Amino acid sequence: MRITRVLGAALLMLGLAVAPAAADSSPSPSASSDGEAPTSAGTSFRTATEFEQGQQATASGSTGDYLYWSFPADAGQRPTVEATVKLPETHAGQTWQVDVYDGLRRRQACQYGAQTRTAAADATTVELACVLRTVRAWSEPWANDPLPGTYYVRLTAVGLTTADLGQPVDATVEVNSKDIGGAAAVDGSLAKPLVPGIAMKSEASSEDDSSASAVLSSIEPEDGWSGGWWSDRWVWTAVGGVLAALAGVGGYSLTRGAGRPSRVPPGA
Protein backbone atom coordinates (compact mmCIF):
# COMPACT_ATOMS: atom_id res chain seq x y z
CA MET A 1 0.00 0.00 0.00
CA ARG A 2 2.80 2.40 0.85
CA ILE A 3 4.50 1.79 -2.51
CA THR A 4 1.16 2.32 -4.27
CA ARG A 5 0.68 5.67 -2.56
CA VAL A 6 4.21 6.74 -3.48
CA LEU A 7 3.72 5.81 -7.14
CA GLY A 8 0.30 7.47 -7.21
CA ALA A 9 1.72 10.72 -5.86
CA ALA A 10 4.54 10.62 -8.40
CA LEU A 11 2.15 10.12 -11.32
CA LEU A 12 -0.10 12.92 -10.09
CA MET A 13 2.78 15.40 -9.84
CA LEU A 14 4.07 14.31 -13.24
CA GLY A 15 0.65 14.94 -14.79
CA LEU A 16 0.37 18.39 -13.23
CA ALA A 17 3.82 19.31 -14.53
CA VAL A 18 3.26 17.96 -18.04
CA ALA A 19 -0.01 19.90 -18.52
CA PRO A 20 1.54 23.41 -18.75
CA ALA A 21 4.50 22.05 -20.70
CA ALA A 22 2.18 20.50 -23.27
CA ALA A 23 0.25 23.75 -23.52
CA ASP A 24 3.48 25.63 -24.19
CA SER A 25 4.39 23.29 -27.05
CA SER A 26 1.25 24.12 -29.03
CA PRO A 27 1.55 26.33 -32.11
CA SER A 28 1.47 30.07 -31.59
CA PRO A 29 -2.05 31.57 -31.66
CA SER A 30 -3.19 33.40 -34.76
CA ALA A 31 -3.18 37.16 -34.88
CA SER A 32 -6.18 38.97 -33.50
CA SER A 33 -9.13 39.17 -35.85
CA ASP A 34 -9.39 42.89 -35.07
CA GLY A 35 -6.19 43.61 -37.03
CA GLU A 36 -6.59 43.66 -40.79
CA ALA A 37 -4.05 41.78 -42.85
CA PRO A 38 -1.97 44.04 -45.12
CA THR A 39 -2.73 44.11 -48.84
CA SER A 40 0.54 45.61 -50.06
CA ALA A 41 4.27 44.96 -49.77
CA GLY A 42 7.29 47.19 -49.40
CA THR A 43 10.12 47.49 -51.88
CA SER A 44 13.04 47.52 -49.41
CA PHE A 45 13.92 46.67 -45.82
CA ARG A 46 12.98 50.17 -44.65
CA THR A 47 9.57 50.07 -46.32
CA ALA A 48 8.72 46.44 -45.51
CA THR A 49 5.04 45.96 -44.69
CA GLU A 50 4.44 44.73 -41.15
CA PHE A 51 2.12 41.85 -40.36
CA GLU A 52 1.55 39.54 -37.42
CA GLN A 53 2.11 35.82 -37.32
CA GLY A 54 -1.06 34.02 -38.32
CA GLN A 55 -2.16 36.77 -40.70
CA GLN A 56 -2.20 36.25 -44.45
CA ALA A 57 -0.54 39.22 -46.12
CA THR A 58 -1.27 39.81 -49.79
CA ALA A 59 0.21 42.11 -52.42
CA SER A 60 0.09 42.82 -56.13
CA GLY A 61 3.28 43.52 -58.03
CA SER A 62 5.22 42.86 -61.17
CA THR A 63 7.78 40.25 -62.09
CA GLY A 64 11.19 41.70 -61.37
CA ASP A 65 10.01 43.56 -58.25
CA TYR A 66 11.33 42.84 -54.76
CA LEU A 67 8.45 42.41 -52.30
CA TYR A 68 9.22 42.89 -48.59
CA TRP A 69 7.25 42.11 -45.43
CA SER A 70 8.26 41.98 -41.76
CA PHE A 71 6.97 40.04 -38.74
CA PRO A 72 8.02 39.52 -35.09
CA ALA A 73 9.49 36.26 -33.77
CA ASP A 74 10.32 35.56 -30.13
CA ALA A 75 12.66 33.16 -28.34
CA GLY A 76 11.63 29.52 -28.50
CA GLN A 77 9.62 29.91 -31.72
CA ARG A 78 10.37 28.08 -34.95
CA PRO A 79 8.77 30.20 -37.72
CA THR A 80 7.56 28.73 -40.98
CA VAL A 81 7.26 31.19 -43.86
CA GLU A 82 4.92 30.19 -46.68
CA ALA A 83 4.49 32.16 -49.91
CA THR A 84 2.22 31.62 -52.90
CA VAL A 85 2.57 33.52 -56.17
CA LYS A 86 -0.22 33.67 -58.74
CA LEU A 87 1.55 33.82 -62.09
CA PRO A 88 0.50 35.63 -65.29
CA GLU A 89 -1.66 33.76 -67.77
CA THR A 90 1.18 33.65 -70.30
CA HIS A 91 4.77 33.34 -69.21
CA ALA A 92 7.95 31.41 -69.74
CA GLY A 93 9.45 29.23 -67.04
CA GLN A 94 10.05 31.34 -63.92
CA THR A 95 12.12 30.72 -60.79
CA TRP A 96 10.83 32.33 -57.59
CA GLN A 97 12.68 32.60 -54.29
CA VAL A 98 11.75 33.58 -50.74
CA ASP A 99 14.50 34.81 -48.37
CA VAL A 100 14.26 35.57 -44.66
CA TYR A 101 16.47 38.07 -42.81
CA ASP A 102 16.70 38.90 -39.11
CA GLY A 103 16.69 42.33 -37.46
CA LEU A 104 20.38 42.79 -38.32
CA ARG A 105 19.54 42.00 -41.97
CA ARG A 106 21.49 38.76 -41.82
CA ARG A 107 20.10 36.17 -44.18
CA GLN A 108 18.80 33.19 -42.22
CA ALA A 109 19.17 29.69 -43.59
CA CYS A 110 16.13 27.45 -43.96
CA GLN A 111 16.16 24.11 -42.14
CA TYR A 112 13.96 22.67 -44.84
CA GLY A 113 11.29 23.69 -47.31
CA ALA A 114 11.17 24.70 -50.98
CA GLN A 115 12.82 28.10 -50.67
CA THR A 116 13.42 28.29 -54.43
CA ARG A 117 11.12 26.74 -56.98
CA THR A 118 10.84 26.90 -60.77
CA ALA A 119 7.37 27.15 -62.32
CA ALA A 120 6.79 25.62 -65.72
CA ALA A 121 5.43 27.73 -68.58
CA ASP A 122 1.91 26.34 -68.07
CA ALA A 123 1.88 26.72 -64.26
CA THR A 124 -0.62 29.13 -62.72
CA THR A 125 0.90 29.33 -59.23
CA VAL A 126 4.13 28.58 -57.43
CA GLU A 127 4.35 27.76 -53.72
CA LEU A 128 7.41 28.36 -51.54
CA ALA A 129 8.22 27.54 -47.93
CA CYS A 130 11.05 28.18 -45.48
CA VAL A 131 11.24 26.65 -42.00
CA LEU A 132 13.71 28.67 -39.96
CA ARG A 133 15.86 27.43 -37.12
CA THR A 134 14.48 27.92 -33.61
CA VAL A 135 14.86 31.50 -32.36
CA ARG A 136 17.33 31.61 -29.46
CA ALA A 137 17.12 33.98 -26.51
CA TRP A 138 20.86 34.64 -26.63
CA SER A 139 23.83 33.83 -28.85
CA GLU A 140 27.53 34.49 -29.25
CA PRO A 141 28.29 37.76 -31.08
CA TRP A 142 30.06 35.92 -33.89
CA ALA A 143 27.27 33.40 -34.45
CA ASN A 144 24.52 33.70 -37.04
CA ASP A 145 21.80 32.21 -34.82
CA PRO A 146 18.27 33.62 -35.19
CA LEU A 147 17.49 35.94 -32.27
CA PRO A 148 14.28 37.59 -30.99
CA GLY A 149 13.13 40.60 -32.97
CA THR A 150 11.91 41.64 -36.39
CA TYR A 151 12.26 39.29 -39.34
CA TYR A 152 12.04 40.30 -43.00
CA VAL A 153 10.58 38.27 -45.84
CA ARG A 154 11.76 39.03 -49.36
CA LEU A 155 9.98 37.50 -52.34
CA THR A 156 11.22 37.87 -55.90
CA ALA A 157 11.68 36.11 -59.23
CA VAL A 158 15.24 35.31 -60.27
CA GLY A 159 16.70 34.71 -63.71
CA LEU A 160 13.78 36.24 -65.62
CA THR A 161 13.81 36.64 -69.36
CA THR A 162 13.29 40.12 -70.81
CA ALA A 163 9.84 39.17 -72.11
CA ASP A 164 8.64 38.25 -68.59
CA LEU A 165 9.76 41.46 -66.88
CA GLY A 166 6.93 43.67 -65.65
CA GLN A 167 4.13 41.13 -65.87
CA PRO A 168 1.50 41.39 -63.10
CA VAL A 169 1.55 38.87 -60.26
CA ASP A 170 -0.31 38.41 -56.97
CA ALA A 171 1.50 37.16 -53.88
CA THR A 172 0.35 35.77 -50.54
CA VAL A 173 2.63 35.36 -47.51
CA GLU A 174 1.84 33.75 -44.16
CA VAL A 175 4.00 32.96 -41.12
CA ASN A 176 3.19 30.54 -38.31
CA SER A 177 5.44 29.34 -35.49
CA LYS A 178 5.77 26.21 -33.43
CA ASP A 179 6.76 26.81 -29.81
CA ILE A 180 9.74 24.53 -29.13
CA GLY A 181 9.93 25.32 -25.41
CA GLY A 182 12.68 24.15 -23.07
CA ALA A 183 14.42 22.06 -25.73
CA ALA A 184 15.80 25.31 -27.18
CA ALA A 185 16.35 27.18 -23.90
CA VAL A 186 19.72 28.83 -23.25
CA ASP A 187 21.20 30.50 -20.19
CA GLY A 188 20.99 34.12 -21.24
CA SER A 189 18.87 36.72 -23.02
CA LEU A 190 19.31 39.83 -25.11
CA ALA A 191 19.00 43.21 -23.43
CA LYS A 192 16.68 44.27 -26.25
CA PRO A 193 15.14 42.36 -29.17
CA LEU A 194 16.58 43.01 -32.62
CA VAL A 195 13.93 45.53 -33.67
CA PRO A 196 15.06 48.43 -35.90
CA GLY A 197 14.92 51.70 -34.01
CA ILE A 198 14.34 50.21 -30.55
CA ALA A 199 17.46 51.94 -29.23
CA MET A 200 16.00 55.29 -30.34
CA LYS A 201 12.77 54.49 -28.52
CA SER A 202 14.57 53.48 -25.32
CA GLU A 203 16.64 56.65 -25.32
CA ALA A 204 13.61 58.83 -25.97
CA SER A 205 11.65 57.13 -23.19
CA SER A 206 14.43 57.80 -20.70
CA GLU A 207 14.34 61.48 -21.65
CA ASP A 208 10.52 61.62 -21.59
CA ASP A 209 10.52 63.01 -25.10
CA SER A 210 7.63 61.42 -26.96
CA SER A 211 8.36 63.37 -30.12
CA ALA A 212 11.62 61.44 -30.63
CA SER A 213 10.26 57.97 -29.90
CA ALA A 214 9.80 56.87 -33.50
CA VAL A 215 10.57 53.23 -34.12
CA LEU A 216 11.19 51.82 -37.57
CA SER A 217 9.28 48.67 -36.59
CA SER A 218 6.34 48.74 -34.19
CA ILE A 219 5.28 45.09 -34.22
CA GLU A 220 5.83 42.67 -31.36
CA PRO A 221 4.32 39.38 -30.14
CA GLU A 222 0.84 39.53 -28.59
CA ASP A 223 2.21 38.81 -25.10
CA GLY A 224 5.24 41.07 -25.50
CA TRP A 225 8.87 40.04 -25.76
CA SER A 226 9.87 37.29 -23.35
CA GLY A 227 12.74 37.77 -20.94
CA GLY A 228 14.29 34.48 -22.00
CA TRP A 229 14.71 33.07 -18.47
CA TRP A 230 11.55 30.93 -18.18
CA SER A 231 10.95 27.72 -20.09
CA ASP A 232 9.40 24.32 -19.45
CA ARG A 233 12.94 23.09 -18.81
CA TRP A 234 12.44 24.37 -15.25
CA VAL A 235 9.30 22.22 -14.95
CA TRP A 236 11.04 19.07 -16.10
CA THR A 237 14.01 19.76 -13.81
CA ALA A 238 11.65 20.06 -10.85
CA VAL A 239 9.78 16.91 -11.86
CA GLY A 240 13.06 15.02 -12.13
CA GLY A 241 14.05 16.11 -8.63
CA VAL A 242 10.69 15.05 -7.19
CA LEU A 243 10.79 11.67 -8.93
CA ALA A 244 14.33 11.07 -7.71
CA ALA A 245 13.25 11.81 -4.14
CA LEU A 246 10.22 9.54 -4.41
CA ALA A 247 12.36 6.78 -5.91
CA GLY A 248 14.71 7.09 -2.96
CA VAL A 249 11.82 6.83 -0.50
CA GLY A 250 10.39 3.84 -2.35
CA GLY A 251 13.74 2.10 -2.52
CA TYR A 252 14.30 2.60 1.17
CA SER A 253 10.84 1.20 1.94
CA LEU A 254 11.63 -1.92 -0.08
CA THR A 255 15.06 -2.59 1.35
CA ARG A 256 14.91 -1.52 5.00
CA GLY A 257 13.81 -5.03 6.02
CA ALA A 258 10.79 -4.15 8.13
CA GLY A 259 8.93 -7.28 7.07
CA ARG A 260 11.79 -9.78 7.47
CA PRO A 261 11.83 -12.11 10.52
CA SER A 262 14.30 -11.22 13.20
CA ARG A 263 17.55 -13.14 13.19
CA VAL A 264 17.57 -16.07 15.62
CA PRO A 265 20.95 -17.07 17.10
CA PRO A 266 22.04 -20.65 16.25
CA GLY A 267 21.15 -23.27 18.82
CA ALA A 268 18.50 -21.14 20.49
Side-chain angles (χ1 to χ4, degrees):
M1 292 296 293
R2 182 174 301 171
I3 300 301
T4 302
R5 289 197 299 269
V6 170
L7 293 177
L11 291 175
L12 177 61
M13 298 189 70
L14 179 61
L16 293 175
V18 169
D24 290 342
S25 63
S26 60
S28 301
S30 300
S32 173
S33 58
D34 296 338
E36 296 183 0
T39 56
S40 62
T43 57
S44 67
F45 287 103
R46 292 182 62 87
T47 61
T49 300
E50 300 175 351
F51 72 102
E52 297 287 348
Q53 292 193 35
Q55 288 184 321
Q56 193 174 73
T58 58
S60 297
S62 302
T63 52
D65 291 345
Y66 286 92
L67 305 179
Y68 286 83
W69 295 268
S70 63
F71 66 93
D74 206 359
Q77 293 183 338
R78 180 184 293 167
T80 298
V81 179
E82 298 177 314
T84 302
V85 182
K86 184 178 180 181
L87 302 173
E89 294 182 1
T90 304
H91 62 86
Q94 295 183 1
T95 300
W96 284 82
Q97 181 170 309
V98 60
D99 296 300
V100 183
Y101 299 82
D102 65 9
L104 297 178
R105 301 185 185 179
R106 303 177 302 180
R107 185 176 180 273
Q108 292 296 318
C110 301
Q111 280 190 316
Y112 49 88
Q115 182 182 8
T116 303
R117 178 168 285 178
T118 300
D122 58 348
T124 57
T125 60
V126 59
E127 297 181 353
L128 307 168
C130 175
V131 180
L132 297 175
R133 294 173 295 165
T134 304
V135 179
R136 295 164 57 90
W138 179 85
S139 177
E140 295 288 349
W142 46 262
N144 193 37
D145 296 322
L147 296 169
T150 300
Y151 282 77
Y152 297 94
V153 178
R154 185 179 73 182
L155 179 65
T156 189
V158 296
L160 286 172
T161 63
T162 304
D164 278 342
L165 287 173
Q167 293 195 47
V169 293
D170 295 319
T172 301
V173 174
E174 185 174 0
V175 178
N176 292 286
S177 286
K178 179 179 180 180
D179 195 340
I180 303 303
V186 295
D187 296 327
S189 62
L190 296 181
K192 295 290 182 182
L194 300 180
V195 177
I198 195 168
M200 297 165 50
K201 180 178 179 181
S202 301
E203 183 179 354
S205 300
S206 62
E207 296 175 358
D208 295 327
D209 183 5
S210 59
S211 63
S213 60
V215 179
L216 299 181
S217 180
S218 60
I219 53 176
E220 65 177 34
E222 288 186 0
D223 299 330
W225 299 105
S226 66
W229 66 273
W230 169 256
S231 71
D232 56 8
R233 184 174 63 173
W234 292 95
V235 176
W236 291 108
T237 301
V239 170
V242 171
L243 292 178
L246 292 176
V249 172
Y252 175 75
S253 299
L254 289 172
T255 59
R256 67 176 182 171
R260 292 183 301 176
S262 59
R263 185 175 180 182
V264 179

